[in-house]
Amino acid sequence: MQNNLKALTVLFFLLLFFALIVGCSDNGTSSEETEQETELKDPSEVGYPESLTYWAELNGNAAQTAQTLNDVRAYQVMEETTGTTIEFKHPSGEGTDITEQFNLMLASGKLPDMIEYNWRTVPKGPDNAIEDGTIIRLNEIIEDYAPNLNQYLNENPEVKKTVTTDEGNIYTFPFIRGDEKLMVFMGMIIRQDWLDTLDLDTPTTIAEWEEVLKAFKTGDPNGNGEQDEVPLLVQPDDFKNIGPFVGAYGIHAQFYNDNGTVKYGSIQPEFKEFLTTMNRWYEEGLLDADFAAMDGKLVDAKVTNDQLGSLFGYTGGGIGRFTGLMEDHPTFELSATPHPALEEGGIAATAQKAFPHEGYHSVAISGQAENPEEIAKWLDFAYSEEGHMLFNFGVEGESYEMIDGYPTYTEEITNNPDGLPMSNALGKYIRANYGGPMIQDVRYVEQYLDLPAQKEAIEIWEETAENNINMPPITMNSDESDEFNSIMSDLDTYYDETVIRFIMGDEPLDNFDEFVATLEGMGINRAIELQQAALDRYMAR
Amino acid sequence: MSKWKRLNVRGTGNNVFSKLLVSYLIVLLLPVIIGLFLFNKIESIMVENANKSNTTMLMQVRDVLENKFEEIEQLSLQISLDEKLNRLLMNQQNVSNYDYINYMKELKRYNTISTHIDDYYIYFNQSDVLLSPTMKTDSYLFLKHIKRYENSTYEEVMNNRMTGFHLRDYFPSEKVIMSSGEENIITLTQSLPYGEVTDVKGVLMVHIYEQQFKEMLQQMEGLNKGAMYIADEKDEIMMSTSENKSIFAEISPLLADKEGFFTKEIDGKDMIVSYTMSEKNEWTYVSIVPTEFVLAKVNNVKSWALSLVLIAIIIGIVVSYYLANQNYRPIHEVVNTIIGKNTPKGTFTNEIDLIKQTIVSSMNEQSQLKRIISQQEPVIRSNFILRLLRGQVDVTSYLEKEIDSMGITFKFNYFSVITIQIDDCCQFTKENIDTKWVLTRFIIANLSEELMGDNGYTIEMERDKLIILYNHQNNSADETTNQLNLTRELMDILEQQFGIKISVAISQIHFGLNKISECYGESVMALDYRIIKGPNYIIFYNDIKNNSGYDYHYPVETEVQILNFAKNGDYENVERTLDQIFSNNVQKEMTPEISKCLSYDLLSTWVKLLSSLSGEEKKRVIEQHNPFKTVPECSTVQELQKEIKSLYYDYCLKMEAKQSTQGERLYQEIVDFIEDNFNDNMLSLGMIADHFGMNSSYLSSFFKKQGGIAISEFIMKVRIEESKKLLPNRRLTISEIAPQVGYANSVGLIRVFKKVEGVTPGQYRESMQA
């Protein structure tokens, strides 16, 4: 009997023990404490971080195939190489939505390790962001932990000038266009087949344009028997910010650098001339009646509906894209036209030409990042030889092959089996086609623009504008920027509305002086002063 | 092995082991059954809960979706009621292009209100203007190039949706082709102005991307394994997560209630169909989830519980078997002890029965044995006490245990003896005198035993004599008084109730078992005084030992004792007895005359002893001691005692010496006697025994032992031999010879002769002459 009891007791405790083990096995939580690093680390000791958070806009080119940038091959390969996992945070929407969400993020005070944005144009400017502790000054960190970028900046002082604030702070890992050809990508595009159909020459002056547009309007170049052609489409923002047709009048619609003096184009008498022309074109139906109510989809619709005669657009997103969309069209052909000049043999004062660095797609390290040295090391990878190839051409064997020492995109990119346009196929692998913290390689654009018309376009657009009056990427200090923004926000609203009204004839051009007076009343001269100051400092860098 | 053998031997299933096992298993079974019952209950509750939570989840989804729709409807209402819009609608043909563009900004404001509305458009009927927050175009471009409904032509869309009256009309999900790809879109249309039925001037169109709702539905667990349908009040599928619309057609007739769930086999899989109807717009939300998914946790728990129960049962069975075996083992061992290697006899149901029967039978045997023993006990006891009284027991060699075993317990070591002489026996019966005596003795014995209790043992001594051996606590006057009282009571009762009159003699109290014979002697001596005191009287030895000295005590019993001891040459006992006699009598302070009488008495006993000696020896002994001269000459009692003792001593010495040859001599004497007296017709065993003073049977066996033939045969042999001597003498006839050899007549001789010699005496005589 005692043996029985013993056996039962042992059994009981065995069961109890078993139950305890089962019960306890779930509770394996651990807490880790992290220490704040205050001293700069020895560069040789710094490795790649384990994980990072990265706020960045997900460009449409990538969004086609990727939920986050982690789906982009370049980042996947980078993760394999560095062992760093990135948690991407992408704002939704585009344009002002992103600005809004960016501001919201800053306001929330919870910042990721890296923030990709145009820090040059943030309210109060980048110096203030550093001062606030939102982001950190990178000069020393780049020097010590980003040898590749450091080397490039030292070898290209002009570029270094653009990534440095007036106070001498380097604030981002910049997106740099590595070649002149990469800086020109927008201009006037025309239906070459319509010109051919109507037996017209490529227009070079305002007058020639008017002739051609009128011919488009009346000549039924699309051959559908209806007068549904839309000869010209330029959106108001393009007039305002880049200046097609505006440049012909020797000015830029916004601030420009007239030999060291900042001027505001829209208050110049030349601007009235420009508006008069446009108003005439609008009235005559040459300029799209809905030019001020246009979105991408509508542009696409007008092109694909075989309605649009000419437009202001990109080499890639314009010539390339529409050629692709209309490849079933028997005659569809686009070509670039020279930037229009006022007089025969003249040259446009300004047109689209980017600076090697303008602030877009550049990454700042947040003030809340715990390991800036490691982050810097991770970011610097993109500026290394290996990273440069990765972000410009993707993965060798997948997206490109080295042919005679030239990184050539494979069919996967150029003739995607899934039917992706090249920009989207590139978006699947790299960032060179829209930008990122890297140096853009000219060999990308050479292949991207595979149509002869595209390659021609760059040259034509490059040659037919002086671009001397373009404002360099200046930076304003916090106070300046505050004041400037407060002036410009109201002013722009009024400006946008009024310019459209002038063109559409809702506002008689006789009222141009009132328009100028109103702008002055809203403080445009003070804005010019502020720009001047910034320009002076920039020149002095 | 042995266990199986055991089971086989006992037959099937009816032995104690299996009973124990079964009882343990039943105890085990109880919690298992209760557990299974409870589990069953819990399971059904769990299943119900799982189903309920499934339905609840569906309802949550419904609420979320409804909120979204609500939001969308709110937005559409807001837009519809916009004053600027209504102004535009009224004057749509007269307003400038800029007014439309200007209104786009207003429209843009609504963009931020709802995050789930991707696209909303206002179509102006009369001016064929279509506005979105970002663009202004016409219906053709829009429906052909911006958003093309795959399954409807431009005209159909225009007729069904863009014109006519609509009040929050939802058009089920439809594939729409856009430059960015294809999307399934639910279209909400609201004709404008709001509420205007006939004079419709435009329409508000909201595009709801099904994908967004699907993403929301993905949150519902398990939906990716099943499907979800939303049907409008006409049971048309508004949207679904599955391409397979036919399933819904199968289910829709079953959706009777407002909400509920049921299981249905769809494509060979068991599915749980949960549904709930919107209270707002009578839309039905249906989710179809695989049963196994909904019940996955339940099934998981179930399989866990079942395997645990199984393990518990297995452990339970093992433990039961172990315990049953443990508890059965002692019984098994007992059974083995009982039956040994033999196959048990008789019929029994199991081991316990066997054990019970065995115990009962052995108890019976024991009680039988006890009865036999108790039947024998009084005889053994009285025999033993008798011997104690006579002093024939070597007290030292007896162990208390042996005494106990005879039913005798002496609590104390003091003893006295009471002798009861029946003076007048029981008056009950008059017929048989023997029976009367027996009855009387029985009455007295019973009564005395009853009165004395454990202290007295009563035995029957002679026909009219009983003896009580009385055990005393100590040697005190109280004890004596107590004893006397008891005796008186006994006497009174006997006399009054039975009419039995007795005389009682009580000895002194002595210490030790070996003094019991002394007690007996004392009581016998006291009883002798009955002659003096008369019957029906209690005589104490204490009273008579100091009498006047005119009598002495030498009873016949004592003389027989002495004779027996002496004949055996046992001087030790003889001397002891003599000492006792002397001490008894000397204490009485005999007078010399009486002392002389005693001396002669003892001397005459001695002379009696001499008869066993031959004549010459007798003569020599008498001459040697000349007792008749010396004894009377003794002047003191001590001298006398010494003289008598020496007489006995010599005799005993002689007897001891003769002891060895005595048998032979006796035999010779007998033979001589027979040879001398063979002619006496009266010569027989009885006569010879009388002659030698011996028991005839003892003599017979003694003679046969010594001589090898029986004494009668020997006599016959002597007579035949004698007759043979006489037969040759022809002058004597057989009739004359017969009396001479001790036969009464010739017939006896002839018969005996023929028997011994095989021939008649006549024939024998003939043969002698021839």
Side-chain angles (χ1 to χ4, degrees):
Chain A
M1 207 49 217
Q2 246 179 350
N3 279 339
N4 282 354
L5 275 175
K6 246 185 212 170
L8 283 177
T9 314
V10 168
L11 188 74
F12 173 75
F13 277 107
L14 269 177
L15 285 174
L16 196 72
F17 181 65
F18 178 68
L20 277 174
I21 284 180
V22 169
C24 291
S25 58
D26 284 344
N27 310 336
T29 53
S30 62
S31 56
E32 266 178 48
E33 285 206 12
T34 48
E35 277 176 37
Q36 198 85 25
E37 298 287 328
T38 46
E39 299 274 313
L40 282 178
K41 291 174 190 164
D42 184 342
S44 60
E45 279 174 14
V46 172
Y48 290 113
E50 224 170 81
S51 61
L52 291 174
T53 47
Y54 188 159
W55 190 94
E57 177 189 349
L58 182 64
N59 188 275
N61 285 319
Q64 188 74 24
T65 53
Q67 291 293 315
T68 74
L69 282 174
N70 275 326
D71 298 331
V72 172
R73 283 295 285 144
Y75 282 103
Q76 290 172 353
V77 172
M78 195 170 167
E79 184 176 334
E80 285 164 25
T81 313
T82 60
T84 306
T85 51
I86 304 292
E87 188 195 328
F88 281 105
K89 296 177 178 178
H90 297 301
S92 56
E94 49 186 271
T96 52
D97 290 341
I98 290 169
T99 311
E100 216 168 78
Q101 285 170 72
F102 172 78
N103 290 333
L104 212 65
M105 175 178 68
L106 292 194
S108 78
K110 282 183 187 170
L111 302 182
D113 294 326
M114 297 179 280
I115 305 165
E116 181 178 316
Y117 194 68
N118 187 351
W119 284 95
R120 189 176 68 84
T121 59
V122 291
K124 297 188 182 181
D127 282 326
N128 186 254
I130 291 171
E131 213 170 291
D132 281 354
T134 309
I135 59 174
I136 59 171
R137 172 183 154 100
L138 297 174
N139 305 40
E140 292 76 19
I141 285 176
I142 288 173
E143 219 164 279
D144 286 342
Y145 305 102
N148 298 305
L149 176 61
N150 192 44
Q151 188 187 348
Y152 183 89
L153 293 179
N154 287 338
E155 285 168 8
N156 298 275
E158 274 307 305
V159 176
K160 191 173 186 178
K161 203 169 159 186
T162 62
V163 299
T164 310
T165 63
D166 300 333
E167 291 172 25
N169 293 324
I170 295 177
Y171 53 97
T172 56
F173 281 77
F175 172 58
I176 298 165
R177 299 176 215 276
D179 193 278
E180 289 261 315
K181 280 184 180 174
L182 290 163
M183 301 176 201
V184 173
F185 40 82
M186 271 192 115
M188 287 310 297
I189 303 164
I190 200 161
R191 281 288 290 268
Q192 184 62 42
D193 57 326
W194 285 10
L195 285 178
D196 295 344
T197 306
L198 299 172
D199 198 18
L200 293 166
D201 286 333
T202 304
T204 54
T205 62
I206 298 286
E208 281 171 17
W209 266 98
E210 197 165 327
E211 264 176 60
V212 167
L213 295 177
K214 275 179 182 167
F216 282 177
K217 180 83 185 167
T218 55
D220 188 23
N222 62 12
N224 63 359
E226 285 178 44
Q227 217 188 70
D228 61 347
E229 284 86 354
V230 176
L232 174 66
L233 172 60
V234 180
Q235 294 181 53
D237 279 358
D238 293 335
F239 286 134
K240 178 184 173 188
N241 296 321
I242 300 166
F245 299 101
V246 181
Y249 297 91
I251 54 164
H252 188 287
Q254 294 292 296
F255 300 96
Y256 64 95
N257 172 15
D258 188 9
N259 288 319
T261 311
V262 174
K263 289 183 174 169
Y264 188 68
S266 294
I267 54 171
Q268 308 301 326
E270 290 89 342
F271 194 65
K272 190 184 175 185
E273 286 176 46
F274 160 76
L275 286 178
T276 310
T277 308
M278 286 306 126
N279 173 246
R280 187 170 68 245
W281 289 3
Y282 179 85
E283 299 289 349
E284 289 172 7
L286 305 181
L287 181 61
D288 189 343
D290 300 330
F291 83 100
M294 194 64 58
D295 60 11
K297 287 171 191 168
L298 186 56
V299 176
D300 287 356
K302 293 199 172 188
V303 172
T304 54
N305 199 29
D306 206 8
Q307 271 182 291
L308 196 58
S310 65
L311 77 159
F312 182 73
Y314 294 91
T315 43
I319 301 172
R321 181 176 156 77
F322 295 133
T323 307
L325 281 175
M326 294 299 281
E327 62 188 352
D328 293 338
H329 192 282
T331 57
F332 186 88
E333 194 192 341
L334 293 176
S335 63
T337 63
H339 297 303
L342 198 58
E343 306 290 339
E344 187 101 21
I347 187 164
T350 181
Q352 183 274 326
K353 186 175 183 190
F355 288 87
H357 171 72
E358 291 173 322
Y360 301 108
H361 307 301
S362 299
V363 175
I365 297 177
S366 124
Q368 293 175 8
E370 282 162 9
N371 44 354
E373 301 88 353
E374 291 177 354
I375 297 170
K377 184 169 176 164
W378 185 83
L379 283 166
D380 188 51
F381 177 81
Y383 301 93
S384 70
E385 186 55 36
E386 193 185 348
H388 181 78
M389 293 303 283
L390 181 63
F391 279 96
N392 277 292
F393 303 103
V395 185
E396 187 167 7
E398 285 182 41
S399 56
Y400 77 95
E401 301 281 0
M402 288 301 279
I403 297 172
D404 299 332
Y406 190 90
T408 313
Y409 290 120
T410 59
E411 289 246 312
E412 165 76 17
I413 303 296
T414 55
N415 185 17
N416 186 270
D418 298 330
L420 289 174
M422 187 168 172
S423 54
N424 291 343
L426 283 170
K428 213 173 143 182
Y429 284 91
I430 61 169
R431 290 198 67 171
N433 57 330
Y434 54 93
M438 57 179 284
I439 299 161
Q440 202 177 27
D441 194 306
V442 72
R443 289 171 295 184
Y444 140 74
V445 86
E446 280 169 1
Q447 293 176 81
Y448 176 61
L449 306 176
D450 63 331
L451 298 172
Q454 291 174 310
K455 289 180 178 129
E456 243 174 54
I458 290 177
E459 278 170 30
I460 292 169
W461 292 339
E462 166 73 41
E463 284 168 6
T464 54
E466 279 184 325
N467 285 326
N468 286 334
I469 61 168
N470 295 8
M471 282 293 279
I474 53 161
T475 48
M476 283 187 268
N477 65 34
S478 168
D479 292 339
E480 289 172 341
S481 144
D482 267 353
E483 194 181 353
F484 181 78
N485 287 335
S486 83
I487 294 170
M488 292 307 286
S489 69
D490 287 346
L491 192 143
D492 274 335
T493 310
Y494 169 74
Y495 172 91
D496 291 343
E497 210 177 291
T498 314
V499 166
I500 292 167
R501 285 158 67 91
F502 276 133
I503 293 173
M504 293 175 82
D506 240 48
E507 186 78 35
L509 278 161
D510 299 342
N511 294 346
F512 184 75
D513 291 343
E514 282 173 39
F515 166 68
V516 173
T518 309
L519 289 180
E520 281 171 347
M522 292 178 98
I524 189 65
N525 289 330
R526 176 63 188 151
I528 292 167
E529 279 174 37
L530 293 169
Q531 288 276 318
Q532 183 70 57
L535 179 68
D536 291 345
R537 287 200 303 274
Y538 180 84
M539 303 303 270
R541 280 182 197 171
Chain B
M1 265 310 284
S2 64
K3 283 164 193 166
W4 294 117
K5 209 166 155 191
R6 174 189 62 215
L7 281 170
N8 292 336
V9 168
R10 300 292 175 278
T12 48
N14 210 11
N15 62 58
V16 171
F17 175 74
S18 52
K19 272 190 180 169
L20 283 173
L21 186 58
V22 165
S23 55
Y24 279 121
L25 287 179
I26 286 170
V27 171
L28 171 69
L29 214 58
L30 274 174
V32 169
I33 287 170
I34 292 168
L36 283 177
F37 177 75
L38 282 178
F39 173 76
N40 211 23
K41 282 272 171 203
I42 288 166
E43 192 203 348
S44 62
I45 290 167
M46 281 169 78
V47 168
E48 199 179 313
N49 280 348
N51 282 326
K52 263 189 189 159
S53 73
N54 197 37
T55 311
T56 310
M57 213 183 313
L58 180 69
M59 285 165 74
Q60 281 172 359
V61 168
R62 183 198 70 190
D63 291 345
V64 168
L65 291 187
E66 258 178 17
N67 276 339
K68 296 301 166 195
F69 283 119
E70 179 89 7
E71 208 176 294
I72 290 161
E73 284 168 23
Q74 281 282 307
L75 179 76
S76 73
L77 190 65
Q78 274 184 34
I79 296 171
S80 304
L81 297 176
D82 190 318
E83 245 179 80
K84 278 186 186 168
L85 174 61
N86 282 313
R87 255 203 318 277
L88 266 182
L89 282 169
M90 290 308 160
N91 308 310
Q92 49 185 277
Q93 281 153 308
N94 305 326
V95 297
S96 74
N97 210 359
Y98 180 75
D99 287 327
Y100 286 117
I101 290 168
N102 205 28
Y103 183 67
M104 275 168 54
K105 287 184 211 152
E106 297 289 319
L107 217 48
K108 217 170 199 162
R109 282 195 299 120
Y110 297 109
N111 217 349
T112 51
I113 293 175
S114 170
T115 50
H116 287 273
I117 299 164
D118 293 279
D119 296 307
Y120 48 95
Y121 307 95
I122 292 166
Y123 180 64
F124 298 84
N125 265 348
Q126 290 151 336
S127 57
D128 189 28
V129 167
L130 193 135
L131 282 187
S132 87
T134 54
M135 66 175 188
K136 168 181 162 293
T137 183
D138 56 51
S139 61
Y140 183 81
L141 200 62
F142 179 76
L143 291 172
K144 279 282 192 186
H145 290 278
I146 295 178
K147 286 198 165 171
R148 183 158 66 81
Y149 287 88
E150 193 185 33
N151 299 321
S152 311
T153 62
Y154 168 68
E155 286 75 20
E156 276 169 4
V157 177
M158 285 306 288
N159 293 337
N160 294 340
R161 307 183 191 184
M162 307 298 264
T163 52
F165 174 73
H166 297 283
L167 182 64
R168 283 201 302 269
D169 272 357
Y170 284 94
F171 289 87
S173 168
E174 241 182 292
K175 192 175 273 179
V176 171
I177 296 163
M178 299 173 285
S179 62
S180 58
E182 297 173 351
E183 286 276 4
N184 282 330
I185 287 173
I186 299 169
T187 313
L188 167 69
T189 52
Q190 168 69 56
S191 61
L192 298 170
Y194 188 81
E196 181 64 59
V197 182
T198 48
D199 189 16
V200 173
K201 291 190 189 307
V203 66
L204 169 69
M205 182 166 66
V206 180
H207 279 172
I208 303 159
Y209 283 56
E210 200 185 81
Q211 187 57 35
Q212 281 193 337
F213 283 87
K214 276 185 182 167
E215 275 164 20
M216 228 172 338
L217 295 182
Q218 293 303 323
Q219 296 163 6
M220 188 166 162
E221 228 179 313
L223 207 63
N224 45 0
K225 294 195 163 71
M228 175 146 185
Y229 296 92
I230 300 171
D232 64 10
E233 63 275 14
K234 282 168 270 174
D235 272 355
E236 270 180 55
I237 296 171
M238 191 57 67
M239 56 186 278
S240 76
T241 59
S242 161
E243 298 299 321
N244 191 347
K245 314 261 188 216
S246 62
I247 292 172
F248 183 74
E250 257 179 78
I251 292 162
S252 60
L254 302 168
L255 310 173
D257 296 328
K258 254 184 123 39
E259 62 185 55
F261 60 85
F262 54 85
T263 50
K264 186 169 166 52
E265 196 181 297
I266 293 163
D267 296 339
K269 276 175 88 180
D270 272 339
M271 298 291 207
I272 287 187
V273 179
S274 308
Y275 63 96
T276 175
M277 194 183 272
S278 162
E279 286 169 15
K280 198 166 69 91
N281 50 16
E282 294 194 335
W283 287 14
T284 311
Y285 294 73
V286 183
S287 83
I288 300 174
V289 182
T291 309
E292 59 188 52
F293 184 84
V294 174
L295 300 180
K297 279 180 187 165
V298 177
N299 289 335
N300 195 19
V301 170
K302 200 168 155 182
S303 54
W304 258 97
L306 283 180
S307 49
L308 272 180
V309 165
L310 206 66
I311 289 167
I313 287 176
I314 289 169
I315 291 172
I317 288 173
V318 169
V319 170
S320 296
Y321 185 84
Y322 176 71
L323 291 180
N325 199 28
Q326 283 281 311
N327 290 345
Y328 174 69
R329 197 175 295 161
I331 294 172
H332 185 58
E333 277 163 11
V334 168
V335 169
N336 276 348
T337 313
I338 288 171
I339 62 172
K341 284 177 181 173
N342 305 327
T343 328
K345 292 166 212 153
T347 53
F348 44 84
T349 50
N350 55 38
E351 288 88 337
I352 295 287
D353 199 30
L354 171 68
I355 293 165
K356 201 168 95 186
Q357 283 187 24
T358 311
I359 288 171
V360 165
S361 72
S362 86
M363 273 167 72
N364 283 340
E365 272 168 33
Q366 205 183 350
S367 67
Q368 216 170 344
L369 206 67
K370 238 183 185 166
R371 207 164 56 241
I372 293 167
I373 289 171
S374 69
Q375 277 168 0
Q376 299 296 325
E377 203 181 65
V379 180
I380 296 168
R381 187 173 62 183
S382 59
N383 191 34
F384 175 71
I385 291 174
L386 209 56
R387 284 191 292 138
L388 263 182
L389 292 172
R390 285 182 178 157
Q392 291 168 343
V393 176
D394 183 6
V395 191
T396 51
S397 69
Y398 267 95
L399 294 168
E400 211 170 307
K401 216 165 83 183
E402 284 173 67
I403 299 168
D404 275 353
S405 74
M406 285 178 279
I408 298 166
T409 317
F410 295 126
K411 284 187 208 159
F412 319 109
N413 243 341
Y414 289 93
F415 301 96
S416 70
V417 171
I418 304 167
T419 308
I420 297 171
Q421 173 78 46
I422 303 166
D423 296 326
D424 199 354
C425 68
C426 177
Q427 303 296 316
F428 287 153
T429 59
K430 297 222 158 70
E431 317 114 40
N432 195 329
I433 202 91
D434 258 346
T435 321
K436 207 187 224 172
W437 281 114
V438 168
L439 190 63
T440 310
R441 285 200 303 271
F442 179 75
I443 289 167
I444 295 169
N446 264 5
L447 206 57
S448 63
E449 293 243 300
E450 206 166 292
L451 284 169
M452 314 285 182
D454 288 342
N455 292 336
Y457 291 98
T458 310
I459 58 162
E460 295 172 11
M461 202 66 177
E462 282 163 36
R463 198 179 67 162
D464 58 352
K465 209 187 246 180
L466 288 101
I467 306 253
I468 299 169
L469 177 61
Y470 200 90
N471 193 211
H472 292 277
Q473 204 168 347
N474 49 41
N475 188 7
S476 68
D478 282 350
E479 279 292 311
T480 318
T481 319
N482 189 29
Q483 192 183 25
L484 179 62
N485 289 339
L486 284 172
T487 314
R488 281 226 175 92
E489 202 180 335
L490 176 68
M491 279 177 77
D492 291 348
I493 292 167
L494 284 172
E495 189 168 3
Q496 282 161 22
Q497 307 245 336
F498 304 101
I500 299 169
K501 291 200 174 103
I502 52 166
S503 297
V504 178
I506 299 173
S507 76
Q508 293 186 86
I509 295 167
H510 288 277
F511 179 81
L513 274 172
N514 52 349
K515 292 284 186 177
I516 289 175
S517 62
E518 208 166 303
C519 295
Y520 176 54
E522 283 178 2
S523 76
V524 169
M525 201 192 286
L527 193 62
D528 282 349
Y529 276 78
R530 189 172 62 107
I531 302 159
I532 302 159
K533 305 245 178 181
N536 202 10
Y537 201 84
I538 296 170
I539 307 153
F540 277 93
Y541 177 75
N542 266 342
D543 295 342
I544 56 138
K545 71 172 180 187
N546 298 320
N547 68 354
S548 55
Y550 293 105
D551 55 358
Y552 66 89
H553 182 77
Y554 180 44
V556 181
E557 290 90 343
T558 314
E559 192 180 13
V560 174
Q561 264 182 5
I562 290 174
L563 285 174
N564 284 337
F565 289 140
K567 275 179 187 168
N568 289 325
D570 185 359
Y571 178 70
E572 208 176 323
N573 273 317
V574 173
E575 193 186 26
R576 193 171 54 86
T577 316
L578 285 174
D579 281 345
Q580 203 179 331
I581 294 165
F582 289 139
S583 66
N584 279 345
N585 290 311
V586 167
Q587 276 168 358
K588 286 179 193 167
E589 291 168 15
M590 286 184 301
T591 56
E593 292 80 2
I594 294 298
S595 168
K596 275 213 169 88
C597 284
L598 178 60
S599 301
Y600 281 115
D601 222 349
L602 288 171
L603 193 57
S604 73
T605 307
W606 181 76
V607 173
K608 280 175 197 164
L609 282 170
L610 292 184
S611 63
S612 63
L613 299 176
S614 61
E616 252 183 66
E617 230 175 341
K618 200 193 284 180
K619 202 178 166 185
R620 211 182 58 220
V621 168
I622 293 174
E623 277 172 10
Q624 183 195 339
H625 289 284
N626 197 10
F628 307 111
K629 203 182 160 213
T630 49
V631 169
E633 281 174 3
C634 286
S635 53
T636 64
V637 179
Q638 279 74 21
E639 219 172 310
L640 193 65
Q641 284 174 1
K642 197 182 167 189
E643 190 59 35
I644 287 169
K645 273 186 186 172
S646 78
L647 283 176
Y648 278 99
Y649 179 72
D650 276 0
Y651 178 79
C652 285
L653 220 57
K654 239 179 203 80
M655 289 314 288
E656 210 174 5
K658 275 177 81 177
Q659 202 87 49
S660 51
T661 57
Q662 200 178 15
E664 226 172 301
R665 242 186 293 126
L666 182 61
Y667 175 70
Q668 198 52 52
E669 276 172 32
I670 294 165
V671 170
D672 291 350
F673 181 77
I674 290 167
E675 282 172 351
D676 290 347
N677 300 290
F678 68 88
N679 53 353
D680 188 347
N681 191 26
M682 298 303 287
L683 184 69
S684 69
L685 178 65
M687 183 205 156
I688 298 165
D690 275 352
H691 179 79
F692 285 98
M694 290 170 78
N695 187 307
S696 55
S697 63
Y698 172 75
L699 174 66
S700 165
S701 59
F702 170 76
F703 192 87
K704 178 101 189 259
K705 200 174 143 201
Q706 289 284 335
I709 57 168
I711 194 163
S712 54
E713 254 177 276
F714 181 76
I715 295 167
M716 200 162 62
K717 211 176 144 191
V718 171
R719 281 172 172 164
I720 298 299
E721 287 302 317
E722 207 55 41
S723 67
K724 273 163 137 181
K725 283 178 199 164
L726 294 173
L727 275 172
N729 188 349
R730 287 191 165 264
R731 281 175 294 177
L732 291 170
T733 65
I734 304 290
S735 301
E736 283 170 336
I737 292 170
Q740 284 184 42
V741 294
Y743 289 105
N745 48 47
S746 58
V747 181
L749 175 65
I750 294 164
R751 186 169 47 84
V752 172
F753 198 91
K754 178 92 190 294
K755 188 184 168 191
V756 175
E757 296 294 325
V759 292
T760 57
Q763 284 171 323
Y764 179 80
R765 183 183 274 176
E766 295 302 310
S767 70
M768 289 300 288
Q769 283 190 341

